[in-house]
């Protein structure tokens, strides 16, 4: 079974940067859309960014111009470069990937931005 594993979360001061990575456990299969969601305490999970296999991207308004999503199809890995971080970006970040029309989720990685 395919698993997605995130890394790169942590604690950073406001205005700082972090890069999240999410790698699939196997590389010998096709992953279609990939992306990131986040969930802050007491809030619903929200979409952060998505990227198609061909590289078409979309961002939530709250992160547009600050975050950049990218992917490496040879490694079935998606990245999220986060710049100019704000305290309101604090959340657990979850990656996902669509494999054979089934959405797979990572376990989540905590991002905490201090003011």
């Amino acid at each position: 079974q395919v698993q997605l594993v995130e890394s790169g979360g942590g604690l950073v001061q406001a205005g700082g940067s972090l890069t999240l990575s999410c790698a699939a456990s196997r590389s010998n299969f096709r992953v279609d859309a990939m992306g990131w969601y986040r969930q802050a305490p007491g809030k619903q999970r929200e979409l952060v960014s998505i990227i198609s296999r061909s590289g078409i991207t979309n961002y939530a308004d709250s992160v547009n111009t600050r975050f950049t999503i990218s992917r490496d199809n040879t490694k079935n890995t998606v990245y999220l470069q986060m710049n100019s971080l704000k305290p309101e970006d604090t959340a657990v970040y979850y990656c996902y990937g669509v494999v054979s029309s089934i959405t797979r989720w990572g376990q989540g990685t905590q991002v905490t931005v201090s003011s």
Side-chain angles (χ1 to χ4, degrees):
Q1 186 173 353
V2 175
Q3 293 181 328
L4 299 177
V5 180
E6 298 112 334
S7 61
L11 174 64
V12 64
Q13 289 187 334
S17 299
L18 281 175
T19 300
L20 305 183
S21 300
C22 173
S25 57
R26 295 168 57 191
S27 61
N28 59 338
F29 58 87
R30 176 188 175 98
V31 181
D32 294 313
M34 301 186 80
W36 295 89
Y37 277 72
R38 68 185 181 186
Q39 187 167 18
K43 295 187 177 181
Q44 291 187 332
R45 189 176 295 192
E46 63 175 357
L47 175 67
V48 176
S49 183
I50 60 175
I51 183 168
S52 71
R53 184 170 179 82
S54 62
I56 297 171
T57 60
N58 196 12
Y59 297 91
D61 289 341
S62 59
V63 307
N64 198 19
T65 74
R66 299 188 297 122
F67 291 9
T68 302
I69 192 170
S70 60
R71 65 186 289 171
D72 183 338
N73 290 334
T74 64
K75 299 179 180 180
N76 280 341
T77 299
V78 62
Y79 306 93
L80 186 68
Q81 173 68 44
M82 304 184 294
N83 298 326
S84 301
L85 283 162
K86 304 175 181 180
E88 50 263 44
D89 294 318
T90 294
V92 177
Y93 285 69
Y94 298 91
C95 76
Y96 78 91
V98 179
V99 181
S100 300
S101 301
I102 298 173
T103 301
R104 309 285 185 180
W105 291 92
Q107 81 285 356
T109 186
Q110 177 70 45
V111 172
T112 302
V113 184
S114 62
S115 57

